[in-house]
Amino acid sequence: MLESSYNPSLVLWSLAVAVLASYTALELASRVASSRGVAARWWLAGGACAMGLGIWSMHFVGMLAFNLPIPLGYDPFITAISLLMAIASSGYALWLVCRATLPWYRLLAGGFIMATGIAGMHYIGMGAMLMLPGIDYLPSWVALSLLIAFGASVAALWLAFRLRKNLNYVKALRVGASVVMGAAITGMHYTGMAAAQFPLGSICGAASTGVDVYWLALLTISVTLAALLATLTVSLLDNRMQLTSTTLSTSLRKATDQLEHLSLHDGLTQLPNRIFFEERLDQAIRSVKKNGGYLAVFMIDVDGFQVINDAYGRHVGDRLLVAMAQRLQNGVRAQDTLARLAGDEFVLQAFISKPDDASLMADKFIQLVQKPFQIVGSDLHISVSIGVTMCPEDGDLREALLANADAARRHAKSSGRNTYRFFESSMNDNVYEQLRLLQDFRIALENNQLSLVYQPIYDSRGRGLASAEALLRWTHPDHGRVAPDSFIPMAERTGLIVPIGEWVLDQACSQLRCWQDAGWKDARVAVNLSAMQFSHSGLVEMLQTILDRYRIKPESLTLEITETTAMQNAEISIVILHKLRRLGVRIAIDDFGTGYSSLLYLKRLPVSELKIDRGFVHDLTLQKEDVAIVEAVVTLANKLGLSVVAEGVETTEQRDLLVDLGCDYLQGYLLGRPVHAQTLLGLVTEGTRAEHLAQL
């Protein structure tokens, strides 16, 4: 037999290639497992090629390390066949380990198929030498090489399946696993080489027609290293991009969930808000109608809460409300719904077995809040007044139940406080009148009873009519014109303000489009948003739809929110206002100076203008304090880059003083009462208010 030897450096290179190929296989298994669709198929195909090339290269580097005292070479065609077998077995292995499960029988069957491919690659690759006479193989060593191939394949499949997830500790284990797998694959190769016997006088048929050994060594090592490193680089970059995408997706989902939560929950107490509660109440009413039973609605109000705010500060009042909400929440059942309506008003709906259960629950709530609250190191003692109404006895409409509960609460408060009262028809003589008015208001839109009028807003620098504020009016078929002070609060209490507010926005933008088409090219309109409408989750989408419908430039629409609404929960308001500003609309803080704005928050609010409340304008010429307040507001606005609108201008003295103080825009009866849209257009086209403009 011919004497053989090995090149130690090439042997080490074969081991290194095997380890690198094993690590690449483990990495690619994770990429295939974490990908879907076309991407998964591309990773499977690319991984099969890279992994197969690595295993095949290890084999041939190992063969190149093998020396015989005769010239050696390899047939290209047979060599290519051995490479294809390595790629095919690698592709099958990657496909197998990316299944959802890997039971033992599938693991053994897969190990057998993979071992057959690797062994076939090895022995076919040996055949590429075209030895004459043929290579003699020792059966025992061949059998041992096959057993090693099977064991290595099973171990490789199991490790790849277990380590396919991209976890931090898994990535560390892949390094150790790749060393084990590389050693096993290399051991199979050299065991197979030990089985080969070359008789004396043997010649290599491919020595003259095949690929030169040294060129093959250089080509194999270079191509393999380049392919494996490139594959690893792409895999790592893709993994990083996937992690980044996953992180962003998770963050977006959390932000969306948070915004949805904020739209349905009170920002201070984290209890459900009015919108959430009314949906639950409607569901509860339908359940009672269908299944029978009783539904109790409790309206809970803190006695003397304003005194606590005045004495200790609003921050203490807020902490008290939070503590009270937690205490009440702990006292209700999982199927009950407790919500905060506004201020110190809470409402609860609860299914009960009999009416007497409502009395027991009301007594329980009174006892719960009688225990002192530990706030800022002091014991605060409070009491509550509770109104109770029953469904179906007192009504089966949401609006009626809330109105009845509120009437009972007012009666409890007037009866001495710290008590509860059940609703009786005598408690509110006009409750049915209010309900009838409410029902009429619900159909007012369908009967064209609602309309908009527009009060002009003038530029104080004599540049004419700048914009107009849209104001809602209701003409009742029986009662005539109903004062806004009567139906607006009613709409806010019942939630009707949301669809009514959408109608107002739609009509105002439609009219704005008509004005611009009629020649008032720079027309602008201001629309008031209620607190409920401002916090409604669908506000931004609805507004975008209206702007697109009428082809309105967003900057020609101003949304007015009161200072109290904006500062009710400043952080949430900032988020909502930024979403509105991204649409391009202008934001105005209405009734500025009557609320409790924090200058720290004010500078963060993305607003365009401040509207000075008419209360400061009314006595402007008589009260030096009001002059100082207006002057301070103007100075503040100038520093923040905001416009200032003064409303309630009724005398020439007020007008002149406001102009001197630097107000940018003026609004009030002196300059124009609310008028119909066509009349307002006449102020622009006909100059009917020239006398005022000249004086400005």
Side-chain angles (χ1 to χ4, degrees):
M1 297 296 173
L2 295 176
E3 293 291 332
S4 62
S5 63
Y6 287 94
N7 185 322
S9 60
L10 289 179
V11 172
L12 292 176
W13 267 110
S14 69
L15 177 60
V17 171
V19 172
L20 182 59
S22 299
Y23 185 83
T24 303
L26 295 175
E27 183 70 25
L28 292 175
S30 71
R31 304 303 316 127
V32 177
S34 61
S35 302
R36 296 292 184 272
V38 177
R41 290 192 290 270
W42 276 107
W43 276 114
L44 180 60
C49 293
M51 180 180 172
L53 179 62
I55 296 174
W56 177 85
S57 298
M58 179 283 306
H59 162 75
F60 270 92
V61 173
M63 290 190 63
L64 295 172
F66 178 73
N67 296 316
L68 288 174
I70 59 173
L72 298 177
Y74 300 93
D75 181 80
F77 180 73
I78 299 177
T79 301
I81 293 177
S82 68
L83 173 59
L84 291 176
M85 290 198 68
I87 292 175
S89 61
S90 298
Y92 173 76
L94 285 175
W95 175 84
L96 188 65
V97 299
C98 294
R99 301 303 92 195
T101 60
L102 187 62
W104 65 268
Y105 62 87
R106 188 181 298 171
L107 175 63
L108 295 179
F112 177 79
I113 295 174
M114 186 177 176
T116 301
I118 294 175
M121 174 215 61
H122 174 81
Y123 289 105
I124 290 175
M126 292 287 289
M129 298 173 69
L130 302 179
M131 297 300 297
L132 296 172
I135 302 173
D136 292 333
Y137 289 98
L138 299 176
S140 59
W141 284 95
V142 172
L144 180 59
S145 71
L146 295 177
L147 287 175
I148 294 175
F150 177 74
S153 298
V154 171
L157 291 175
W158 185 83
L159 288 171
F161 181 79
R162 299 291 295 178
L163 302 179
R164 61 182 182 168
K165 295 183 178 180
N166 282 314
L167 303 176
N168 290 331
Y169 77 93
V170 168
K171 294 180 180 180
L173 291 175
R174 284 178 189 165
V175 178
S178 63
V179 175
V180 175
M181 290 170 59
I185 296 172
T186 306
M188 177 269 163
H189 169 79
Y190 288 106
T191 302
M193 292 295 293
Q197 300 292 308
F198 300 88
L200 292 173
S202 297
I203 61 172
C204 179
S208 60
T209 60
V211 182
D212 181 79
V213 171
Y214 298 102
W215 283 106
L216 181 60
L218 180 61
L219 180 64
T220 300
I221 294 175
S222 301
V223 172
T224 301
L225 291 177
L228 293 178
L229 292 175
T231 303
L232 281 175
T233 301
V234 173
S235 175
L236 292 174
L237 290 175
D238 183 75
N239 182 53
R240 182 172 296 180
M241 291 179 61
Q242 189 177 54
L243 290 175
T244 302
S245 177
T246 301
T247 302
L248 292 175
S249 178
T250 302
S251 300
L252 180 60
R253 185 173 63 255
K254 289 182 178 179
T256 302
D257 293 341
Q258 185 179 13
L259 287 176
E260 183 178 357
H261 177 82
L262 292 175
S263 68
L264 297 176
H265 291 78
D266 175 57
L268 178 64
T269 64
Q270 300 304 308
L271 291 177
N273 59 15
R274 178 184 288 274
I275 298 174
F276 192 143
F277 181 81
E278 289 181 348
E279 292 179 357
R280 286 291 184 87
L281 183 57
D282 287 337
Q283 295 173 5
I285 293 172
R286 288 194 295 267
S287 177
V288 170
K289 288 181 178 179
K290 181 179 179 180
N291 304 317
Y294 298 95
L295 175 68
V297 178
F298 303 81
M299 193 75 72
I300 306 170
D301 179 79
V302 180
D303 296 328
F305 183 72
Q306 187 59 48
V307 176
I308 297 174
N309 271 343
D310 294 341
Y312 297 97
R314 185 173 295 275
H315 67 287
V316 174
D318 288 346
R319 293 181 62 178
L320 175 62
L321 291 176
V322 172
M324 179 179 170
Q326 293 175 345
R327 192 175 292 184
L328 291 175
Q329 186 67 54
N330 293 333
V332 303
R333 303 164 301 180
Q335 63 268 33
D336 303 333
T337 301
L338 176 68
R340 181 191 180 207
L341 295 185
D344 59 329
E345 293 184 3
F346 298 83
V347 64
L348 170 72
Q349 65 170 40
F351 292 102
I352 57 177
S353 302
K354 54 185 186 295
D356 290 345
D357 292 341
S359 299
L360 298 176
M361 293 183 68
D363 282 324
K364 179 182 179 180
F365 296 143
I366 291 176
Q367 294 173 7
L368 280 175
V369 299
Q370 282 181 340
K371 300 177 182 179
F373 290 85
Q374 292 285 337
I375 308 292
V376 293
S378 303
D379 288 342
L380 290 182
H381 296 268
I382 66 170
S383 64
V384 293
S385 298
I386 304 176
V388 189
T389 190
M390 303 291 296
C391 174
E393 283 81 354
D394 300 330
D396 57 5
L397 293 175
R398 179 219 310 161
E399 295 86 354
L401 292 173
L402 291 175
N404 293 343
D406 190 54
R409 177 195 59 80
R410 292 196 303 270
H411 190 78
K413 193 174 286 290
S414 64
S415 300
R417 305 185 176 187
N418 195 32
T419 187
Y420 66 91
R421 291 289 185 271
F422 281 83
F423 173 75
E424 299 176 2
S425 58
S426 59
M427 289 181 176
N428 192 352
D429 294 335
N430 65 347
V431 64
Y432 293 109
E433 181 181 348
Q434 290 291 319
L435 287 176
R436 285 194 296 270
L437 193 65
L438 177 61
Q439 295 299 324
D440 292 342
F441 189 63
R442 295 173 71 93
I443 62 174
L445 273 173
E446 302 175 5
N447 294 342
N448 296 319
Q449 297 174 11
L450 298 182
S451 62
L452 294 182
V453 293
Y454 301 88
Q455 186 170 27
I457 301 175
Y458 285 92
D459 192 314
S460 66
R461 292 154 294 190
R463 299 175 183 174
L465 185 63
S467 62
E469 181 180 358
L471 301 171
L472 182 62
R473 295 291 185 264
W474 179 19
T475 303
H476 194 278
D478 299 324
H479 305 292
R481 178 162 296 178
V482 182
D485 292 345
S486 298
F487 67 84
I488 294 295
M490 179 178 62
E492 290 177 339
R493 288 196 303 271
T494 59
L496 289 176
I497 196 67
V498 173
I500 295 298
E502 181 176 352
W503 180 87
V504 171
L505 278 168
D506 184 89
Q507 291 296 303
C509 288
S510 174
Q511 186 57 61
L512 183 60
R513 177 77 272 157
C514 293
W515 283 334
Q516 293 176 351
D517 292 343
W520 188 10
K521 299 298 183 182
D522 56 349
R524 294 179 6 220
V525 68
V527 178
N528 293 281
L529 293 184
S530 71
M532 183 177 294
Q533 190 179 9
F534 177 68
S535 61
H536 195 271
S537 58
L539 173 63
V540 177
E541 290 77 10
M542 178 267 293
L543 188 59
Q544 183 66 72
T545 301
I546 293 176
L547 292 173
D548 294 340
R549 180 183 302 151
Y550 298 109
R551 297 174 287 108
I552 299 297
K553 293 182 178 179
E555 60 269 20
S556 59
L557 174 65
T558 301
L559 301 178
E560 297 185 4
I561 62 170
T562 65
E563 181 183 7
T564 302
T565 298
M567 300 306 300
Q568 182 73 30
N569 192 313
E571 293 296 341
I572 297 176
S573 295
I574 290 172
V575 173
I576 298 173
L577 289 173
H578 274 292
K579 293 174 69 175
L580 293 172
R581 284 292 291 158
R582 281 195 289 269
L583 292 181
V585 299
R586 294 171 57 84
I587 306 294
I589 300 297
D590 197 10
D591 299 338
F592 188 78
T594 62
Y596 46 90
S597 285
S598 166
L599 296 181
L600 178 64
Y601 282 113
L602 182 60
K603 71 178 184 179
R604 294 174 56 194
L605 296 177
V607 301
S608 306
E609 64 184 45
L610 303 178
K611 296 193 71 173
I612 300 175
D613 183 74
R614 65 182 66 248
F616 298 110
V617 177
H618 184 267
D619 296 324
L620 193 61
T621 57
L622 304 175
Q623 301 287 340
K624 293 182 179 180
E625 294 85 355
D626 289 344
V627 175
I629 292 174
V630 173
E631 187 176 13
V633 172
V634 173
T635 302
L636 174 64
N638 290 334
K639 295 292 185 181
L640 297 177
L642 307 178
S643 302
V644 179
V645 182
E647 55 184 1
V649 182
E650 298 181 354
T651 67
T652 56
E653 291 82 4
Q654 293 170 349
R655 179 200 61 197
D656 294 339
L657 185 54
L658 289 168
V659 172
D660 292 338
L661 290 173
C663 288
D664 301 292
Y665 301 96
L666 305 178
Q667 177 183 359
Y669 284 178
L670 174 70
L671 305 173
R673 293 176 177 271
V675 295
H676 294 291
Q678 194 60 35
T679 304
L680 185 71
L681 182 62
L683 300 179
V684 180
T685 60
E686 300 175 11
T688 55
R689 299 297 297 181
E691 69 275 12
H692 292 288
L693 300 180
Q695 295 174 3
L696 291 176

